[in-house]
């Protein structure tokens, strides 16, 4: 009963996200645009770095300030494949911690290189988005792995978000998580 009640609470949010990225009945891919106006490109996202962006962007400042629209684009360290000129150099995860919905942050420092939630100490693997320490790591799958967005890099190096499927078996459900293989 509790599982049904929990899952049902995400249904309106998932539908809202779905409706926000459909244009004329078709899903579309979108370039990643940062708050400063830059568009993500292989040439302007440094190795081992993270940048926050809003997705899906509505143009309404109130709606776009919603924490459930915040994602982090992580360009991996070169030892993790960040020097590749392909989508595999990047990861994009929802910033909502799957434990109690605080906003986590990626720390690129040597010896740290992980996502960390400041509220209760959950830590996330930058390659998989899976929690490996803290309360989120103790939760059953799919609630131990951050939702992600699938990317594409075009011939000019621009990074695009492919139309997501916000369910636990694909991109995940924001605030809930996703299954991993």
């Amino acid at each position: 009963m509790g599982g049904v009640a929990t899952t049902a609470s995400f249904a309106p949010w998932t539908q809202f996200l779905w409706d926000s990225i459909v244009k004329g009945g078709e899903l579309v891919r979108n370039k990643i645009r940062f708050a400063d106006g830059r568009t993500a490109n292989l040439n302007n996202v440094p190795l081992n770095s993270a940048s926050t962006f809003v997705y899906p962007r509505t143009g309404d400042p109130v709606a776009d300030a919603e924490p459930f629209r915040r994602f982090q684009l992580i360009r991996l360290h070169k030892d993790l494949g960040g020097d590749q000129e392909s989508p595999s150099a990047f990861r994009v995860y929802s910033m909502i911690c799957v434990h109690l919905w605080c906003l986590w942050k990626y720390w690129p420092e040597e010896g740290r290189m992980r996502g960390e939630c400041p509220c209760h100490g959950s830590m996330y693997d930058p390659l998989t988005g899976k929690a490996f320490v803290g309360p989120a790591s103790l939760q059953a799958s799919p609630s131990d792995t951050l939702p992600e967005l699938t990317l594409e890099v075009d011939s000019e190096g621009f990074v695009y978000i492919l139309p997501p499927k916000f369910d636990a078996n694909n991109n995940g459900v924001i605030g809930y998580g996703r299954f991993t293989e």
Side-chain angles (χ1 to χ4, degrees):
M1 187 70 147
V4 171
T6 301
T7 304
S9 68
F10 293 107
W13 176 248
T14 303
Q15 187 60 48
F16 165 74
L17 283 174
W18 188 262
D19 292 344
S20 298
I21 55 177
V22 173
K23 298 208 173 147
E26 290 187 34
L27 296 172
V28 296
R29 70 181 192 154
N30 290 286
K31 284 183 181 177
I32 294 177
R33 296 193 192 281
F34 301 119
D36 64 5
R38 288 180 306 126
T39 302
N41 188 291
L42 288 168
N43 300 316
N44 70 5
V45 179
L47 290 173
N48 197 31
S49 68
S51 299
T52 301
F53 67 97
V54 173
Y55 182 81
R57 186 179 299 275
T58 67
D60 176 345
V62 174
D64 288 348
E66 168 62 47
F68 277 74
R69 291 179 181 269
R70 291 190 195 166
F71 286 83
Q72 279 198 43
L73 172 70
I74 298 171
R75 181 140 190 201
L76 299 168
H77 187 277
K78 68 178 179 172
D79 294 343
L80 300 176
D83 56 350
Q84 301 296 313
E85 293 195 3
S86 70
S88 65
F90 300 94
R91 298 295 187 276
V92 174
Y93 300 117
S94 165
M95 289 185 63
I96 301 295
C97 178
V98 293
H99 175 234
L100 287 177
W101 297 2
C102 294
L103 295 175
W104 64 274
K105 179 182 174 186
Y106 177 71
W107 294 93
E109 291 83 15
E110 280 294 326
R112 199 170 184 184
M113 288 190 288
R114 61 183 173 245
E116 295 180 9
C117 181
C119 296
H120 302 104
S122 291
M123 295 182 191
Y124 296 96
D125 181 329
L127 283 174
T128 64
K130 187 171 180 75
F132 64 89
V133 169
S137 70
L138 302 174
Q139 297 176 163
S141 190
S143 294
D144 62 349
T145 307
L146 296 166
E148 68 179 350
L149 296 175
T150 307
L151 301 176
E152 176 179 272
V153 176
D154 73 7
S155 61
E156 295 176 20
F158 289 104
V159 183
Y160 286 85
I161 299 165
L162 296 180
K165 256 184 129 170
F166 286 114
D167 65 49
N169 292 310
N170 291 288
N171 298 95
V173 177
I174 296 170
Y176 179 66
R178 67 183 162 88
F179 288 108
T180 56
E181 299 166 287

